[in-house]
Amino acid sequence: MTTPVDPAETATTSAGQDSHASSPSPTGGAEAAGRRGWVGQLLRWGAIGLSVVLLGTLGYLWWDSRLPSSYSVMDMGYADYGGGAVPVGGHQHAGGTSVASLTGPAGPAAVTVSLTARKEAFTLASGERVDGFTLNHSSPGPEITATVGDIVQVELVNESVPDGVALHWHGVRVPNAEDGVAGVTQDAVPVGGRHTYRFRVSDAGTFWYHSHQVSHEQVKEGLFGALVVLPSRDSVPGVVAQVHTYDGRRTVQGATGSRHVSAPSGVPTRVRVVNTDSGPLRVAVAGAPYRVLAVDGHDLHEPGEVSSRVVVVAAGGRVDLSVTPPPAGAGAVRVDLGAGLSLVVGPPGAEAPTADTAAAPLDLLAYGTPAPVDLDTSHVDRDFTLTIDRWPGFVDGRPGLFWTMNGHLYPDVPMFMVRQGDVVRMTITNDSGEVHPMHLHGHVALVLSRDGVAASGSPWWTDSLDVDEGETFVVAFRADNPGIWMDHCHNLPHAADGMVAHLAYEGYSTPYVIGGQADNEPE
């Protein structure tokens, strides 16, 4: 007799048999658990080891980036000879001719000025109060006017600027000892100290002077002024328009808002625009066409009339504009300087139209007409490359995203080595994501091309050149002013973060140091 089997019981038994068959033995489970434990431990130890290596590397980079309390620019970075002659024994860090001996000429000075630097509150020409720095109780400081060939003598007295002060003559080709860079060409002048600058002015044009000690603070807070060099004693100086931002207020000649400049109808007026801020300045003109007479103190050849274009002035740069007020009764010319700031040039009471500040920029590469230059660039003695970028790293122990020059962080930056008389070509490429106004001290460079397009207009000589993101400029100059010269970004906070290189003449060195007893801090 067959006994029926309950299906549920069969299923349960089968399931139980299957479960029993697939269960590991006690010994096998322990082995698997042991393997998993060892793998976990290996992973943990690997992570710990990797962390130690990473932290050790970061610690080394931090430690290695720290700057000593005193160091010479002669010991910074690496020597780049640009494919030219290398002296026997390579780069000499000391010895040779001291830059301290490269002083200005003797003889009576045609222009003598005394400037006293103070830390104090002052009142802008438009009435606002500012807490900053002054020269002779004002900011901007006194305007200095000279004529080509004059010897200029300036006595700088530091009454109360606690970090010390030094004055750089921006765009003026002075002897190296007169360049005014703390830690490179002199020591900062301490409180109670004084320093005398002497130099002969050889180029007519618009220039300016400013502190080159803790410059990213001292210039911003008021230590600067204009220097105008006229071609002859009977030259008409025109109107100086120094643009500067104090505590978020953009000013021209120390005043906010719109300023009227009295000028007769139909007569050209020269407006000398100086950008003393750290970013580019867009200048727009309305009411009449205008001409760009000069850039960075050097006249352009046959500049044509311009309408519906703005002029972009690099930080530290200058442009001289010629504006002609329309016939009597037809209004005035507005020179718009941005942020609600403008000059109205014309007869008293004349109104000027609003300028189009969003217009396309004037291309100086093709403006004006060609002319011969006293610089043969068909053969060069040095051919340098300067590539600007931005990378994470440490500078003086500070972590961050810093500017690099040829892939190097400060102070491991290039020292461009030249000999007197060399013709030098430099290719500047900007891959950093921001515009950089590059300023070479003691020299003036000729723009040859931008992004592979050759210059086709007037010779464009510059000492403060905006190189925008993605742009490549090729410039050339003659090495005709021996010494040790700064080559840096004139966005001064960028320079303070290490965007600084140097041009060094073979056989010259500096006795001055960054830091040291004088607490020299040029940027």
Side-chain angles (χ1 to χ4, degrees):
M1 178 177 181
T2 303
T3 305
V5 179
D6 185 348
E9 182 181 338
T10 303
T12 301
T13 304
S14 299
Q17 289 174 345
D18 291 343
S19 175
H20 178 77
S22 62
S23 298
S25 67
T27 303
E31 290 176 353
R35 285 194 297 271
R36 287 194 298 271
W38 277 109
V39 169
Q41 290 185 44
L42 287 173
L43 290 174
R44 283 193 295 273
W45 281 108
I48 292 171
L50 184 61
S51 298
V52 169
V53 171
L54 180 60
L55 289 173
T57 302
L58 290 174
Y60 169 78
L61 293 173
W62 169 80
W63 180 266
D64 189 56
S65 76
R66 297 196 315 161
L67 298 173
S69 60
S70 175
Y71 61 96
S72 171
V73 298
M74 302 301 294
D75 299 327
M76 288 170 51
Y78 61 94
D80 183 345
Y81 293 93
V86 179
V88 176
H91 172 47
Q92 303 301 308
H93 298 264
T97 302
S98 168
V99 302
S101 68
L102 302 177
T103 56
V111 178
T112 58
V113 179
S114 179
L115 298 175
T116 299
R118 298 176 174 90
K119 178 174 176 56
E120 62 181 348
F122 58 96
T123 303
L124 296 177
S126 47
E128 298 91 342
R129 291 288 287 174
V130 173
D131 188 13
F133 301 103
T134 64
L135 291 159
N136 294 4
H137 293 300
S138 70
S139 180
E143 183 179 313
I144 301 173
T145 303
T147 302
V148 168
D150 282 350
I151 293 177
V152 177
Q153 177 173 304
V154 178
E155 182 183 49
L156 171 64
V157 178
N158 182 2
E159 182 174 297
S160 57
V161 178
D163 289 327
V165 66
L167 289 182
H168 168 60
W169 308 94
H170 192 114
V172 186
R173 292 185 281 180
V174 300
N176 198 208
E178 313 297 347
D179 195 43
V181 180
V184 181
T185 65
Q186 69 171 88
D187 281 331
V189 181
V191 173
R194 61 186 62 221
H195 184 93
T196 300
Y197 301 91
R198 286 178 59 89
F199 51 89
R200 189 185 303 276
V201 287
S202 56
D203 300 312
T206 306
F207 307 97
W208 65 301
Y209 60 90
H210 61 79
S211 178
H212 227 305
Q213 162 73 352
V214 198
S215 61
H216 74 288
E217 294 180 359
Q218 293 188 2
V219 177
K220 179 181 177 182
E221 296 180 22
L223 287 183
F224 68 92
L227 169 62
V228 175
V229 182
L230 302 175
S232 64
R233 305 227 177 261
D234 58 357
S235 300
V236 178
V239 178
V240 173
Q242 297 171 88
V243 179
H244 191 77
T245 302
Y246 299 92
D247 294 341
R249 307 180 189 96
R250 183 173 292 186
T251 67
V252 57
Q253 294 301 102
T256 57
S258 181
R259 176 187 173 202
H260 191 90
V261 176
S262 183
S265 299
V267 177
T269 297
R270 191 178 195 117
V271 179
R272 303 173 182 268
V273 180
V274 183
N275 182 5
T276 70
D277 282 333
S278 282
L281 173 68
R282 293 172 63 89
V283 181
V285 178
Y290 69 96
R291 301 176 192 270
V292 181
L293 300 179
V295 175
D296 289 349
H298 294 271
D299 287 347
L300 300 183
H301 185 249
E302 296 183 344
E305 286 193 343
V306 180
S307 299
S308 304
R309 289 286 186 274
V310 301
V311 180
V312 179
V313 187
R318 293 85 61 212
V319 296
D320 290 18
L321 307 179
S322 176
V323 299
T324 303
V333 174
R334 183 180 302 277
V335 180
D336 190 294
L337 303 167
L341 188 70
S342 64
L343 296 178
V344 175
V345 183
E351 298 291 334
T354 301
D356 180 9
T357 58
L362 176 68
D363 187 0
L364 293 175
L365 201 69
Y367 180 65
T369 62
V373 296
D374 185 23
L375 183 68
D376 182 5
T377 59
S378 61
H379 169 77
V380 298
D381 302 291
R382 311 277 174 171
D383 197 356
F384 296 114
T385 296
L386 175 59
T387 300
I388 304 163
D389 212 327
R390 202 173 192 185
W391 289 96
F394 294 89
V395 171
D396 197 18
R398 294 180 295 127
L401 196 60
F402 292 104
W403 313 110
T404 61
M405 306 185 89
N406 290 349
H408 295 261
L409 289 168
Y410 184 90
D412 189 23
V413 290
M415 177 79 81
F416 299 113
M417 304 298 300
V418 297
R419 289 177 175 173
Q420 189 163 358
D422 282 349
V423 174
V424 180
R425 180 169 60 206
M426 181 173 287
T427 301
I428 309 171
T429 299
N430 181 5
D431 295 326
S432 72
E434 290 189 28
V435 64
H436 296 289
M438 300 308 296
H439 173 51
L440 172 61
H441 288 211
H443 301 75
V444 60
L446 177 67
V447 176
L448 301 181
S449 68
R450 183 187 61 229
D451 298 335
V453 178
S456 59
S458 167
W460 174 9
W461 295 93
T462 180
D463 58 65
S464 303
L465 178 66
D466 262 348
V467 184
D468 214 335
E469 157 62 20
E471 284 187 333
T472 295
F473 274 90
V474 180
V475 301
F477 62 92
R478 179 175 284 111
D480 57 3
N481 196 1
I484 310 297
W485 300 96
M486 293 194 76
D487 184 8
H488 66 106
C489 179
H490 217 271
N491 183 322
L492 297 178
H494 290 182
D497 275 341
M499 201 169 173
V500 176
H502 295 88
L503 177 78
Y505 282 67
E506 182 183 326
Y508 291 82
S509 64
T510 177
Y512 306 105
V513 295
I514 309 297
Q517 291 185 345
D519 285 331
N520 294 318
E521 188 180 344
E523 300 299 354

